[in-house]
Amino acid sequence: MDTEPLPVPEGLPLGLDTLAGRTFDAVLFDMDGTLIDSGPAVVRSWMRWASEEGVDPALLAGKHGIPSAQIVAMLLPESRWAEATRRIDDIEVADTDGIVVLPGAREALSLPVGRAAIATSCTRPLADARIGATGLPVPSVVVTASDVERGKPDPAPYLLAAQRLGVDPSRCLVVEDAPAGITAGRAAGCATIAVATTHRVEQLQEARTDAVVVDLSQVRLVADDDGVRVLPS
């Protein structure tokens, strides 16, 4: 996992005008890096796991936003998958020190019931641990890696979140911090906003996100009977 701090992005927001005038039935949020900053805990956990498994930590680069089971399968022989996945999940659940809610996240999650969901690459126990540690408001629908066979960049998490809300994914807005999540949102047919909290603006643009903001404090999500609109803050 990348441990280098990102420079403060300049010239943001970008592309919000492309969403002007659009109304969305629901907003589907990623969690880590989008709603909460779990970066230090993630790095500590995966560095510990890599040391235990004899994995070169450099091989973890670029894998943010992908479920742990899929990362393990990329790095270890199949005979180790089940045990090694259980181990990293246990390490992460036990380490919630320093996890905080990101700017604008609480306000963004104040949308009416049925207008918001979380779709995270965490397992259910890990999502519960991090939500509990931060006191993050919980929408009516939370989709985790425990709920789908394939996680991001596959569109399954966002398709399931839209299905559970009873809305058309093409009328949803995905909020993400990682290229893998943007790819998943686009593949699900959703519009996307990227927050530049864990990846450089160029990487997010290469993933073809519709807009990029520093964090959710740069936007206002305004709901009425017709749906949710995105306005600059």
Side-chain angles (χ1 to χ4, degrees):
M1 302 293 171
D2 191 358
T3 60
E4 291 296 321
L6 289 177
V8 176
E10 296 181 0
L12 297 186
L14 288 173
L16 281 183
D17 56 320
T18 66
L19 302 175
R22 295 189 63 178
T23 301
F24 299 97
D25 288 343
V27 183
L28 314 178
F29 297 93
D30 173 54
M31 189 175 74
D32 293 272
T34 300
L35 298 172
I36 63 173
D37 179 5
S38 56
V42 170
V43 170
R44 285 194 302 268
S45 297
W46 280 96
M47 291 302 102
R48 177 178 175 182
W49 178 88
S51 176
E52 291 180 2
E53 292 291 341
V55 170
D56 181 354
L59 296 177
L60 296 170
K63 294 180 174 58
H64 176 74
I66 300 173
S68 58
Q70 291 171 216
I71 297 174
V72 170
M74 296 176 190
L75 300 175
L76 295 179
E78 187 172 359
S79 61
R80 292 286 307 141
W81 290 356
E83 183 178 350
T85 299
R86 283 194 297 271
R87 180 57 181 153
I88 182 56
D89 289 347
D90 287 346
I91 293 172
E92 289 202 283
V93 167
D95 187 352
T96 58
D97 187 43
I99 297 176
V100 296
V101 177
L102 285 166
R106 292 189 189 278
E107 293 81 359
L109 283 174
S110 67
L111 289 169
V113 174
R115 294 293 191 192
I118 290 175
T120 175
S121 293
C122 292
T123 61
R124 177 66 60 173
L126 182 54
D128 289 344
R130 289 181 177 168
I131 289 170
T134 59
L136 192 72
V138 183
S140 59
V141 169
V142 177
V143 172
T144 73
S146 305
D147 300 314
V148 293
E149 291 187 8
R150 292 291 299 173
K152 305 168 190 177
D154 192 277
Y158 286 120
L159 291 173
L160 182 57
Q163 178 187 329
R164 288 182 174 177
L165 287 173
V167 297
D168 184 338
S170 69
R171 289 188 50 80
C172 290
L173 174 66
V174 160
V175 186
E176 267 284 353
D177 72 302
I182 295 166
T183 299
R186 287 179 50 80
C190 307
T192 61
I193 288 180
V195 293
T197 53
T198 62
H199 290 78
R200 297 180 184 276
V201 174
E202 312 87 78
Q203 294 174 294
L204 301 171
Q205 291 178 307
E206 287 171 4
R208 300 176 61 196
T209 187
D210 293 294
V212 187
V213 296
V214 172
D215 54 43
L216 283 167
S217 68
Q218 284 200 315
V219 298
R220 288 189 298 127
L221 301 177
V222 180
D224 57 26
D225 291 342
D226 294 327
V228 182
R229 290 176 295 120
V230 183
L231 301 176
S233 195

